[in-house]
Amino acid sequence: MFDFYMKDMPEMIYRVDSNDKIVEHAPRDEVHRNGWWHRISCVLPVNEDHYILIGRRHEESTFLPGEWCFIGEHVRAKESYVEAAVRCYQEELGRTIQRGDAIPWMRGLKMTIQGVESDGTHFMERQIQRFYGVAEPRKANKIKFNKDELSEVRFVAPPEILGEYMHPELFIPQSSSYARKLKDTFKSI
């Protein structure tokens, strides 16, 4: 009934401090433009071989075009990390899961990325991420992913993720612990 109204509303997300305490709700574009800390909920679909599903961003994306990434969503205002993970799975991968299907894996990883957008604008992205593992029975070629966001998806062995697919040089120095935590976690899979 109010769909026409909602389309014109900016997406409101949590702006947080570096300790993940909520500062305010703010429009997503404003949070990004100012380089403020915000929350991201990532899902790590894991298949029976213990490979993790990752996606490649479209070349037309303004943020990290063509780069491989974890599948995630901004945590919206009045939404928990796990609620964002459940919504992410539905919106990005076309499968409904329940809260209990999203198993907390890693929490509170801080990531800062600096770079230049496709239009030449410099940016700084500050995220606090939580990761949720989800058992994924489908083969990658059977997953109906959101083609507005991703150009392809594939299952990758955890040791290959950081290196061949995701490049730690994108993370600025204070985020080197992010890449290290991911590598250490993936070794245990």
Side-chain angles (χ1 to χ4, degrees), residues 41-48 51-54 70-74 76 79-103 105 130-140 142-147 149-150 153-155:
S41 188
C42 295
V43 292
L44 298 177
V46 180
N47 69 11
E48 61 189 23
Y51 283 34
I52 295 173
L53 189 77
I54 59 175
F70 294 114
I71 296 161
E73 285 285 337
H74 290 85
R76 293 179 179 160
E79 184 176 55
S80 70
Y81 276 103
V82 72
E83 289 167 336
V86 169
R87 177 177 54 81
C88 174
Y89 221 86
Q90 174 64 43
E91 290 178 5
E92 303 298 327
L93 301 174
R95 181 171 157 228
T96 301
I97 62 170
Q98 304 302 313
R99 288 175 61 109
D101 296 332
I103 308 302
W105 199 347
R130 287 194 185 175
F131 291 78
Y132 294 88
V134 179
E136 179 52 72
R138 299 174 293 178
K139 303 290 183 203
K142 300 292 184 197
I143 295 174
K144 304 279 192 259
F145 60 90
N146 182 342
K147 294 187 173 155
E149 300 278 336
L150 304 169
V153 296
R154 75 173 51 153
F155 282 102

Side-chain angles (χ1 to χ4, degrees), residues 105-166:
W105 199 347
M106 293 179 279
R107 52 180 23 200
L109 292 185
K110 294 179 183 178
M111 179 183 70
T112 303
I113 299 175
Q114 287 188 131
V116 180
E117 292 183 357
S118 56
D119 65 359
T121 306
H122 289 268
F123 69 86
M124 181 177 291
E125 177 73 7
R126 291 188 177 110
Q127 302 175 354
I128 297 181
Q129 301 176 334
R130 287 194 185 175
F131 291 78
Y132 294 88
V134 179
E136 179 52 72
R138 299 174 293 178
K139 303 290 183 203
N141 65 348
K142 300 292 184 197
I143 295 174
K144 304 279 192 259
F145 60 90
N146 182 342
K147 294 187 173 155
D148 291 335
E149 300 278 336
L150 304 169
S151 61
E152 66 178 295
V153 296
R154 75 173 51 153
F155 282 102
V156 177
E160 297 172 10
I161 290 176
L162 287 171
E164 185 175 339
Y165 288 93
M166 294 182 190

Side-chain angles (χ1 to χ4, degrees), residues 106 108-110 176-186:
M106 293 179 279
L109 292 185
K110 294 179 183 178
S176 60
S177 64
Y178 173 83
R180 193 170 41 256
K181 285 178 187 175
L182 289 176
K183 277 186 179 178
D184 291 345
T185 300
F186 292 155

